[in-house]
Amino acid sequence: MAKYPPPEELIKINYTTPVKSWMDSKTAFRPGNFSYPGKPDILKYLGMPNPREWNPMDDDWKLPPDWQRIVMEKFREKLKKYRSLKIFMDVCVRCGACADKCHFFIGGGDPKNMPVLRAELLRSIYRGEFSAAAKALGKLAGARKLEEDVIKEWFMYFYQCTECRRCSLFCPYGIDTAEITMMARELLHEVGCNINWILEPAANCNRTGNHLGIQPHAYKDMMDFLCDDIEEVTGKRIRPNVNKKGCEILFITPSGDIFADPGIYTYMGYIILFDYLGLDYTWSTYASEGGNFGLFTSDKMMKKLNAKMYAEAKRLGVKWILGGECGHMWRVINQYMLTMNGPADFLEAPVSPITGTKFDAAAGTKMLHICEFTADLIKNGKLKLDPSRNDNFVTTYHDSCNTARGMGLLEEPRYILKNVCRQFYEMPENTIREQTFCCGGGAGLNNEEFTETRLRGGLPRGNAVKYVRDRHGVNNLACICAIDRATLPPLCDYWAPGVGVSGVHELVGNALILDGEKKRTTDLRQNPLPGMEDEEE
């Protein structure tokens, strides 16, 4: 694990204009500011180019002999295939509206993490290779040649972009810098420059159906362990359906929710809610992953990993899919599914079997977000809730980038939280909803060796959490993304100590009053409920 300085040192950020032009500044790799390369066996398994052992801190990256031709041919292909990419390369006027919107620039001060300049790293090659006038004028027109230092620069900065799209929100031309990052990463793949934290989960998901490589029997065992804990808390034994054909609903959530703390408590909340409703649903041990690391790899991988969920829905004969608290799963579903995999015509548009509500917005994808489902239940008075059970939590809400900016899911999680918690406070307006700040570890950057840069990038979010902690006594940050539930705990420990992290449906599970349950004395984490400390002793 790379060492990183304490907050009082990390917050000393230099925003002064560099003496050298950005084109003359070489990329400096050091522990803590880059991610480890993809392992050769993983690249071989995925059929990706140039598998080898290499180190970004070495001078020789062992690129293919004809790497320039490879990159330029792929670049030309992308420009021809994606009209949006060519527009993004042409229309930027470098106004700087996005410059101070990136969390990595705010937390680190590196000009190349300004979205406008990060895009310029690719755009300058576009001008230098595909524009005759710019090529002739060279630096005067912002053009340059494709050299090995450029590849190193791309690797550094396009893997310091979490594709959160906050910058795009402020762009007067609507340039989606995240998609520029996606294209640049695909060009890097062509010469074998990628990171393992993205490719290994993608390979695992391709092989076993989830990012962690959990085998079906192990997945079922972990589910049983969590049901043991639910029984300990509620006195009720729940036996969820697994791989059952003919159910109305297939439920899919990120594998991080069954494997990692604090996600496991959100998973327990799902199980409790569905049992309470008597929902006709099943889990799958084969499509056991909602997340899609293909979004951070390539359009082909994204399409393949998304398709597995629908293939399993077809195999099991369900009517529609209900999806859990995940970020990039929902960006893929809402922004790419219909043009990438096509409408899922073998499924039905989601209709709540409890309230009868038809969710027209999900009519194309046939997949409904759990927060839309639960908010509808509460609105129609279908849940018996005791919000006092969450009185140990003074809660705020983190809008996960992909669900907020990627699908506009802003009100439903808040509506749920206000019904299951009695103490809820918002962070400052310019840090939430559409303007939400990233956790600093999205787009596959949630790895240990990248911790220092992640903490720098997490400064804006951490500062907003610290504000509500100090002003309102907030001690819990709720979110609806598995990556957030992994990255936000160390971020909060660093920038806002004393604030924990939960999923929204963990708090739902705490508040639900179940028929036949024993007297509850603990929450799902088996911490005493308010006033029950003596009984637990």
Side-chain angles (χ1 to χ4, degrees), residues 15 169 189 195 251 261 350 391 484 491 499:
Y15 294 113
L169 185 71
H189 289 321
I195 69 171
F251 182 68
D261 184 339
D391 280 355
D484 286 334
L491 183 150
V499 179

Side-chain angles (χ1 to χ4, degrees), residues 57 68 84 204 261 288 291 361 397 447 476 502:
M57 296 181 69
Q68 289 167 308
S84 60
N204 286 339
D261 184 339
S288 51
Y397 178 66
N447 52 63
N476 182 54
S502 75

